[in-house]
Amino acid sequence: MRTRIRCLLAASVLAVTAACGVGDQASAGTLTMTVWTSNEAQLALLDRLADDFAAEHDGADVRIQSVPQADYITKLSVRLAGGDPPDLGWLGAPDAVGMAASGQLADVGPALRADQGYRFDDFVPAAFTNWRDGEAVYGVPFSTSPFFVIYNKDLFAGASLPDPAELAARGQWTWERLAGLARELQPTLPGGGFVFQSNEGSVYGPLSVSWPTLDPLLRAHGAGFYDPASKECTLDSPGAERAIGELHRMAFVDGTAVPPGAQADFYAGNAALTITQLSRLSQLDGATFEWGVAPLPGGPGGQPHVTGQAGLVVFEQARNRELATEFLRFLTSERGVRELAQFYPPARRSVLADAEGISAGSALPPEAFETILVPSITEGHTFQYPRAWPEIKTTAQPLFDELWSPAADVPGVLRRLCDAVDPLLRQAG
């Protein structure tokens, strides 16, 4: 009978070792996998999948270690630096790119390609944007979660304004139309309310949390942060200037977007719409207003479909790297992804084709499954993080901060921003 440990990693390295059995993970048949979920149903599923894997690999002992998300990267980095790594674990795309560039992730590509039944071509085209470098594969996405708009239907109806989902169905849901509707809607809102709240209300904060708003805004205007082919910053393009300028006007001229320093919470009913993901919809349980969903607004650059990703990786220092790669292959096979789709939006076409099997999207209204969830994943893009993203974030952050003041020279700041990050993009290779 194998032993499995599921634990919350404690604050100190000594507590981690004691609580999670780090010191005794060198056994040839023992695997440790770190995750950031504390959801009991999700952990129960991972436990069951670990049991199934063990049944196929005699003597395997898989230990699922749950780390609070806020501490996840810090604690993982301590373990990697201390030579006490887990065998495999979850990573967000930007962290995975940085760790792959520094040699901390194993290339699982050869093992996955050797299994003809694994079927790489079953994944949607953009699935491996941040998980491959040439032929090397440094992780496999287990969750590909679309960004979309949720809105307060009562507020739009009360002001006799068009419903965003109906506008989207007619191809009229754009940032320009949103800005116009916001000017009409704002005077009808209760005191202290705003029309537009950015994703997580954090567009003025660190790039890691503001980018889910900025990336689709730029894409809708035919712009982006940089050109991956030329390794050049493109934030000084006319499209980027229009995109950032539009948001700047909403915050500081129209007064319709939540400005820096102000507080608004869509889920509490004092913002009319926001950008979100499936995992946030649980916050609407018990909402006192009727809400709806719409795609991300489009623009001159077309209709953006943007996703965020988390992937499963094997660490280069893993004591049981071969067995860890087998477990990764098991969890991200069609069978594994179909099971995980109870909670995590899948990137395999075969699983997406089975609408009834994707419980991860069950909080969406039924009509939004085919109009938002599936096309967002199959046609969507994820921001391609450059290899030097940690250094670029540090350099770019003060300049992004300059944008969010009433008198900001938006074109001038964007030009200086590109001047600052271009050398880092070129050095990234």
Side-chain angles (χ1 to χ4, degrees):
M1 182 71 176
R2 72 184 184 88
T3 302
R4 184 172 63 255
I5 296 177
R6 188 201 320 166
C7 55
L8 292 174
L9 296 186
S12 71
V13 175
L14 289 176
V16 168
T17 304
C20 295
V22 172
D24 65 340
Q25 62 176 291
S27 168
T30 299
L31 288 179
T32 56
M33 183 174 103
T34 52
V35 300
W36 55 67
T37 183
S38 59
N39 179 284
E40 287 297 323
Q42 294 175 14
L43 288 169
L45 172 62
L46 292 172
D47 282 349
R48 181 168 60 77
L49 290 172
D51 283 332
D52 292 347
F53 178 78
E56 297 176 10
H57 296 76
D58 186 40
D61 176 14
V62 182
R63 304 182 180 189
I64 308 296
Q65 299 179 341
S66 175
V67 186
Q69 189 164 14
D71 302 325
Y72 188 84
I73 293 301
T74 299
K75 293 187 183 301
L76 180 61
S77 298
V78 168
R79 292 184 62 178
L80 293 173
D84 220 352
D87 292 289
L88 70 167
W90 290 0
L91 279 182
D95 296 311
V97 169
M99 287 190 179
S102 62
Q104 293 177 293
L105 303 184
D107 176 10
V108 297
L112 300 183
R113 292 190 184 94
D115 180 2
Q116 293 185 352
Y118 186 78
R119 295 175 55 215
F120 260 115
D121 60 357
D122 189 34
F123 286 90
V124 298
F128 286 92
T129 297
N130 288 299
W131 307 96
R132 294 180 64 170
D133 186 3
E135 290 299 304
V137 179
Y138 292 110
V140 179
F142 68 87
S143 178
T144 299
S145 185
F147 291 95
F148 52 91
V149 167
I150 49 176
Y151 61 96
N152 187 318
K153 293 173 73 74
D154 294 344
L155 293 178
F156 279 87
S160 300
L161 292 173
D163 183 279
E166 294 174 5
L167 289 173
R170 299 198 295 266
Q172 298 172 358
W173 181 233
T174 64
W175 280 99
E176 182 179 14
R177 188 67 186 274
L178 167 57
L181 288 173
R183 287 190 291 271
E184 296 182 65
L185 182 56
Q186 185 67 38
T188 72
L189 299 181
F194 293 91
V195 175
F196 177 68
Q197 178 193 14
S198 63
N199 176 70
E200 300 292 328
S202 55
V203 74
Y204 312 115
L207 285 178
S208 57
V209 291
S210 63
W211 206 244
T213 296
L214 297 177
D215 187 40
L217 172 67
L218 290 164
R219 288 181 188 274
H221 289 80
F225 188 98
Y226 80 113
D227 179 356
S230 66
K231 305 291 193 299
E232 292 180 339
C233 172
T234 54
L235 281 171
D236 55 358
S237 68
E241 292 178 9
R242 285 194 299 271
I244 301 297
E246 195 156 47
L247 183 57
H248 192 273
R249 284 190 299 275
M250 290 177 68
F252 299 109
V253 178
D254 299 342
T256 56
V258 181
Q263 297 294 321
D265 183 4
F266 172 84
Y267 302 95
N270 53 21
L273 62 87
T274 189
I275 294 173
T276 194
Q277 289 177 288
L278 291 170
S279 59
R280 304 295 187 267
L281 294 184
S282 61
Q283 297 180 54
L284 288 166
D285 293 346
T288 58
F289 56 88
E290 186 178 1
W291 55 274
V293 300
L296 295 166
Q303 169 64 57
H305 291 296
V306 178
T307 62
Q309 282 189 326
L312 187 59
V313 303
V314 172
F315 295 101
E316 180 67 23
Q317 300 178 54
R319 292 177 173 84
N320 295 292
R321 196 163 69 183
E322 184 175 342
L323 190 61
T325 302
E326 284 293 312
F327 192 39
L328 178 147
R329 181 168 60 179
F330 176 84
L331 290 176
T332 60
S333 66
E334 181 178 343
R335 171 194 169 186
V337 169
R338 196 172 293 280
E339 293 265 21
L340 293 170
Q342 295 176 47
F343 301 105
Y344 312 110
R348 279 189 176 272
R349 291 188 183 93
S350 57
V351 181
L352 282 168
D354 179 15
E356 295 182 358
I358 306 178
S359 302
S362 60
L364 285 172
E367 66 275 9
F369 191 91
E370 293 295 338
T371 60
I372 295 179
L373 181 68
V374 172
S376 292
I377 296 175
T378 58
E379 303 168 24
H381 301 274
T382 183
F383 178 64
Q384 186 169 352
Y385 292 94
R387 288 166 61 93
W389 184 244
E391 296 85 357
I392 289 169
K393 278 195 307 179
T394 301
T395 300
Q397 189 66 61
L399 290 159
F400 268 102
D401 291 343
E402 287 186 30
L403 290 170
W404 312 126
S405 64
D409 171 15
V410 171
V413 173
L414 293 176
R415 286 194 295 271
R416 289 193 291 118
L417 201 154
C418 278
D419 289 342
V421 303
D422 264 334
L424 294 171
L425 287 167
R426 287 191 292 268
Q427 291 170 15

